[in-house]
Amino acid sequence: DRYTVGLELTFLGWKRFDDNRAKNVISKNAFIAMNFDKDFDDIFFKVISVACDECGFKPIRVDKSEHNEKICDKIISDIKSSKFLIAEFTGQKHGVYFEAGFAAGFGWVAMAFGSNYLFEHRPMKLYLINAGYNILLLSIMGYIIGLF
C-alpha cells in the first residue's frame, strides 16, 4: 500500500522506546505551568509546591531553574520528563494554555496513537505524521485559547 515505507522497529529500538516511556512512569517531577508574576509566588510556594512535596513530587517551574537553553526547548523538555502537569490559569497567560495543549497532545494523543499503531502494525512514518500533527494541533489550540 502507498503508506508502507519499509521501516522496522528492532529489538534495540523497542528497548529505547520502552526506556523512554519508563522515564515518565518513574519520574517524580511535576511540571507547573503558571503565571511568572511575583504576585503568584504565594500560590506556587504555599499551595502547589507544598501539595507536590506532600505527595512525593518535585515541582518544576521553568523560571525557578537555571538553564542555558531556549525557553521553549526547556519547557518542552521539562514537560516530557515530568509525570504530570499542573496548569494554573489565573492571570490568563498564553504560555500556560500552550503548555497544557502540548502536554495533552504529547501525553495522551501521541501515546494513544502509538499503542493503536503498534497493535495494528501500521507504518512508523504514518504514526509520526499523525501524532506530530495532533501534538502541534493541540499546542496551537491551547495557544489560541490563551489569546482570548
Side-chain angles (χ1 to χ4, degrees):
D1 87 61
R2 69 181 199 191
Y3 294 112
T4 303
V5 177
L7 295 176
E8 236 177 71
L9 197 53
T10 64
F11 177 76
L12 291 174
W14 276 109
K15 181 172 177 0
R16 184 169 178 197
F17 172 79
D18 196 46
D19 289 346
N20 286 336
R21 191 173 46 119
K23 285 180 187 175
N24 285 359
V25 172
I26 60 174
S27 175
K28 289 294 183 182
N29 293 341
F31 186 85
I32 313 301
M34 65 180 299
N35 193 328
F36 294 158
D37 192 279
K38 298 291 181 210
D39 294 339
F40 294 88
D41 278 351
D42 279 351
I43 294 171
F44 176 72
F45 289 112
K46 293 181 179 177
V47 179
I48 296 173
S49 184
V50 171
C52 287
D53 290 341
E54 287 179 5
C55 294
F57 291 97
K58 177 184 175 190
I60 305 294
R61 196 169 115 177
V62 75
D63 68 319
K64 299 296 180 193
S65 63
E66 292 187 29
H67 58 87
N68 293 325
E69 301 171 61
K70 292 179 184 175
I71 191 74
C72 289
D73 293 344
K74 177 70 172 153
I75 288 168
I76 289 172
S77 171
D78 285 351
I79 290 172
K80 286 180 172 180
S81 68
S82 294
K83 179 111 176 170
F84 59 91
L85 176 139
I86 296 173
E88 203 289 310
F89 294 101
T90 308
Q92 301 294 312
K93 290 295 183 180
H94 307 291
V96 176
Y97 289 91
F98 169 79
E99 293 156 11
F102 175 80
F106 181 76
W108 295 328
V109 176
M111 296 305 154
F113 274 24
S115 299
N116 291 340
Y117 279 56
L118 290 172
F119 179 74
E120 296 170 357
H121 301 289
R122 292 176 129 190
M124 181 64 77
K125 185 175 181 180
L126 183 61
Y127 162 74
L128 294 173
I129 291 168
N130 288 335
Y133 168 77
N134 281 283
I135 291 170
L136 181 63
L137 174 72
L138 287 169
S139 299
I140 292 171
M141 287 171 63
Y143 186 76
I144 291 170
I145 290 169
L147 292 175
F148 296 103

